[in-house]
Structures are given as structure tokens and as C-alpha cells.
Amino acid sequence: MQVVSLVTQKGGSGKTTLAVNLAVAACRAGRRTLILDLDPQGTAEAWYQDREEAEPRLVRLEAADLPRALELARRQGFTLAFIDTPGRDAPAVASAIRQSDFCLVPCRPTPPDMKAQPATVATIRRLGRPFAFVLTQTPPRGFRIREAQQGLAVLGPVVPVPVVARSVYQDAQGAGLGVVEYEPAGKAAEEMARLWAWLARRLERIAHDAQAHLARRPAS
Ligand SMILES: Nc1ncnc2c1ncn2[C@@H]1O[C@H](COP(=O)(O)OP(=O)(O)OP(=O)(O)O)[C@@H](O)[C@H]1O
Ligand SMILES: [Mg+2]
């Protein structure tokens, strides 16, 4: 099972939106997917309660229970877990990062969001985890996206799929759906499909590298 955390200390940047939408996209791609909601606000859990489909499964928990929950999920045959983190709870965020194979860091193209990123990146780097930024709630096109991509690239890799501000993200969330379910032919669905495709490729590479690393280790 692979584990992906959505992390950034900046509130409202799109952690929960990406966690639920990517989890729905992953399910449709055949991954047995679980969302672990570490946020006491329970935004992802509220989405799940409005949802009729059972998949992706969602569990709300405290950070202290994370290792046990992940172990159980592995034994139950889940192949992918997304952890939705609470921005302001540093120990919970560190615990999620530590358990993750990859971290996605959502960031709006605004000065306050950009300024908050070095602290998040420092924690991820200290814990030695691979990560990438995702621009969120962007205008549909234009110089703001380019400037933000260039600014973030100084700190780390940036996913080449900006997530545009579209009301369908809010409408789908209110209906307990992912945008790929709510408006399958829409632009948001297309960008979530592209974002998932990017992440799936990245996760494949991580799994491949881990296998190669194991194969190189001398037998004891
Ligand atoms: N691409 C988008 N387009 C339009 N609205 C968006 C988009 N992404 C997120 N939102 C909206 O912005 C608000 C904050 O998003 P979200 O809850 O995903 O952020 P968060 O990082 O999880 O916040 P918190 O730190 O409070 O947990 C929500 O109302 C959500 O519906
Ligand atoms: Mg949230």
C-alpha cells in the first residue's frame, strides 16, 4: 500500500478538496483507496457522510492512531491511502509526513500562500520524503500561474497541472461526490484526471525505486 499526504500549514489551500477528488479518481482507476482524515474539523468526513458510494472508504482518526490504522489498511488489502492533514497541528502533520511515500503540497498563487511554503518544505525535507507542489484555485490562465510556478520551483518540484478555481469543486463537495462523478465531461474532471495520472506515474516510480533498492541490498 502506498501513502500520500496532503500537507501545508496554510489553511483553505485545497488539501481536503484534492484528497477527496484524487481518492475518487484513484478508485475509478481500480486502486483500493482509503482516505484518512486527521483534521478535527472533519471536512472530508462530512463529504463522506453525504456520499452514497462506499468507495473510497474514509476513516477519521487521531494522529496517534495513524500507524495502527495504516497497518490495518494494508492487511485489509487497500493499495492506496490519502491522508488529509490539519494545517495547524504540527505534530499530526509531521506524523502523516513520516508515514507517507509521497507528499502533495497545495498552494494558491498568492503571496501569503507562497510565503507559508518554506516552513512546510523544511519539515518534509527533514523527514526525507519526496514531495511536489500543486497550484490550486488558480485563474484559468495567465502570468500568475507562471510566476507562482517559477517561485515554487526554487523550493521544489511543481506538478505541471494547475488546479483552476471552479465552483464545481464546491458543488461536488456538497453533493458528496468527486468532480469526475459530478460533471464527468467538465474541465475540473479533466484536470483531476490529469493530476491523478501524474500522481499515479510518480507513485509507480517510487514503488519501482523501492523494489530496486531492496534487490540491491545484500542478503543477510
Ligand atoms: N479548485 C478550487 N476551486 C474552487 N473552490 C475550491 C477549489 N479548491 C478548494 N476550493 C474551496 O476552497 C475552500 C477550502 O478548500 P479545502 O477545504 O480543500 O482546503 P483545506 O486546505 O483542506 O483547508 P483547511 O486548512 O481548513 O483544512 C473550500 O470551500 C473548497 O470547496
Ligand atoms: Mg481541510
Side-chain angles (χ1 to χ4, degrees), residues 138-184:
T138 72
R141 65 189 76 80
F143 74 97
R144 268 180 207 286
I145 299 179
R146 263 191 325 275
E147 280 185 2
Q149 280 169 335
Q150 286 164 0
L152 290 175
V154 175
L155 297 171
V158 186
V159 181
V161 185
V163 179
V164 174
R166 307 181 196 275
S167 50
V168 66
Y169 283 102
Q170 292 155 18
D171 297 342
Q173 183 139 354
L177 296 170
V179 290
V180 295
E181 299 164 324
Y182 188 84
E183 199 177 86

Side-chain angles (χ1 to χ4, degrees), residues 11-17 39 41 137 163-166 169-170:
S13 55
K15 297 179 286 294
T16 302
T17 302
D39 191 343
Q41 293 179 106
Q137 302 172 48
V163 179
V164 174
R166 307 181 196 275
Y169 283 102
Q170 292 155 18

Side-chain angles (χ1 to χ4, degrees), residues 74-200:
R74 269 187 192 101
R75 273 193 267 129
Q76 290 179 342
F78 286 95
T79 60
L80 182 59
F82 287 96
I83 307 180
D84 185 20
T85 67
R88 291 180 179 283
D89 182 347
V93 174
S95 165
I97 294 170
R98 200 174 289 116
Q99 314 282 335
S100 293
D101 297 284
F102 190 71
C103 300
L104 272 176
V105 183
C107 179
R108 289 167 294 201
T110 65
D113 264 51
M114 307 278 290
K115 282 184 189 144
Q117 299 315 326
T120 301
V121 169
T123 308
I124 298 173
R125 287 204 192 279
R126 179 166 54 79
L127 296 168
R129 291 294 179 268
F131 74 98
F133 293 108
V134 190
L135 276 174
T136 56
Q137 302 172 48
T138 72
R141 65 189 76 80
F143 74 97
R144 268 180 207 286
I145 299 179
R146 263 191 325 275
E147 280 185 2
Q149 280 169 335
Q150 286 164 0
L152 290 175
V154 175
L155 297 171
V158 186
V159 181
V161 185
V163 179
V164 174
R166 307 181 196 275
S167 50
V168 66
Y169 283 102
Q170 292 155 18
D171 297 342
Q173 183 139 354
L177 296 170
V179 290
V180 295
E181 299 164 324
Y182 188 84
E183 199 177 86
K187 289 182 173 165
E190 192 214 324
E191 75 197 357
M192 275 308 115
R194 285 203 294 137
L195 183 58
W196 161 248
W198 184 92
L199 181 62

